[in-house]
Amino acid sequence: MHLVQIRGYAYDTFRQQRRMGPMNQTERKRQAVLDVTFRLLNDKPIKAITIDEIAHDAGVSKVTVFKYFTSKNHLMNVVITHAFDAMLRQIKDILDGDMGFVETYQAITTLKMDQVRRYTAVFQENMMTQYSTSPDFFDADALTMQNELYRHLMTKGRAEGYISPQVTDADMQLILHVFTEGMKGVEASRLLESADFLTRFFLSGLRMDESR
């Protein structure tokens, strides 16, 4: 499983290289730093990873590492979020499909869980650590795209009657913020185990059925 995970990341790089042509020396060095960091994130906690180790394994100097990344924290964020870049595009494809709101939401949740399961337990915990402690984990473009996707999903839900008209866009932003913040500090394994329950709980609450 670990080999498949490492190969999956390398394969993404290989596909980009085929589309864009051979990388120059600068690009190869940067990619070597990314690949080494990804491997280490699958093997050990972030606090146990050093820039010295990354530079040594990538065959570059520490100066070179900091030429591409402003800090260790920045490097960790880039590698972890890169692993999920493709997921946002897949979510958009799901939203643009013909499924109803519930099926769409469940498909997105399944996609997220499957993506997380691709990586080792160590990588999952490293991801949650960065997500919980790094204020710049997501860059502005990623946040904008994520918000647009959520608005698209909520529009679908309202149109099909699964989201109460009483739930405003501001309400949804607050709910999503509470859910997002609430996940911080929770072990990745616990979130995976509870994914189905959280999905049902979330969908039930959006209806705001006052007849019960």
Side-chain angles (χ1 to χ4, degrees):
M1 180 177 180
H2 182 66
L3 178 60
V4 171
Q5 291 154 354
I6 300 297
R7 286 178 58 197
Y9 186 83
Y11 179 61
D12 288 341
T13 302
F14 178 64
R15 286 191 301 176
Q16 292 173 358
Q17 184 176 343
R18 284 177 56 185
R19 289 198 305 268
M20 301 173 62
M23 291 185 285
N24 59 37
Q25 184 177 10
T26 298
E27 292 169 336
R28 284 197 299 272
K29 287 181 178 180
R30 184 178 187 276
Q31 189 59 55
V33 172
L34 292 172
D35 289 342
V36 166
T37 304
F38 179 77
R39 173 175 59 77
L40 292 173
L41 282 168
N42 274 279
D43 290 339
K44 59 175 71 175
I46 287 175
K47 62 183 179 182
I49 301 173
T50 67
I51 293 297
D52 284 319
E53 180 179 22
I54 293 170
H56 176 271
D57 289 0
V60 301
S61 68
K62 287 178 62 174
V63 172
T64 297
V65 175
F66 287 120
K67 175 183 176 182
Y68 305 128
F69 307 99
T70 58
S71 65
K72 173 185 171 181
N73 190 63
H74 177 217
L75 173 57
M76 298 299 127
N77 286 347
V78 169
V79 172
I80 293 173
T81 56
H82 173 83
F84 293 90
D85 282 347
M87 185 176 68
L88 290 177
R89 293 190 292 272
Q90 290 176 290
I91 289 175
K92 186 178 186 306
D93 289 340
I94 292 173
L95 286 169
D96 291 339
D98 298 328
M99 292 188 294
F101 170 72
V102 173
E103 292 79 10
T104 297
Y105 187 89
Q106 291 173 335
I108 291 173
T109 301
T110 298
L111 172 65
K112 289 180 177 179
M113 294 302 102
D114 288 346
Q115 181 77 3
V116 171
R117 290 189 183 97
R118 287 180 56 198
Y119 305 109
T120 66
V122 175
F123 184 92
Q124 293 171 19
E125 292 306 323
N126 282 331
M127 175 186 68
M128 294 305 297
T129 296
Q130 287 301 97
Y131 176 66
S132 301
T133 62
S134 179
D136 54 351
F137 182 67
F138 291 112
D139 61 27
D141 290 340
L143 288 173
T144 297
M145 183 176 183
Q146 180 175 281
N147 288 335
E148 289 177 354
L149 293 175
Y150 274 121
R151 280 195 292 271
H152 189 166
L153 179 63
M154 295 309 113
T155 298
K156 184 188 287 276
R158 286 196 184 97
E160 296 179 18
Y162 286 100
I163 298 178
S164 169
Q166 301 175 57
V167 180
T168 66
D169 287 344
D171 291 333
M172 280 306 310
Q173 288 295 324
L174 175 61
I175 292 169
L176 292 172
H177 178 72
V178 170
F179 258 72
T180 300
E181 290 298 309
M183 288 192 296
K184 294 182 178 180
V186 180
E187 292 184 0
S189 58
R190 176 63 173 157
L191 289 174
L192 289 170
E193 293 170 1
S194 305
D196 182 61
F197 165 74
L198 291 173
T199 297
R200 288 184 283 109
F201 180 82
F202 186 73
L203 293 176
S204 176
L206 290 177
R207 281 179 178 268
M208 292 182 64
D209 188 351
E210 299 179 354
S211 63
R212 295 183 180 180

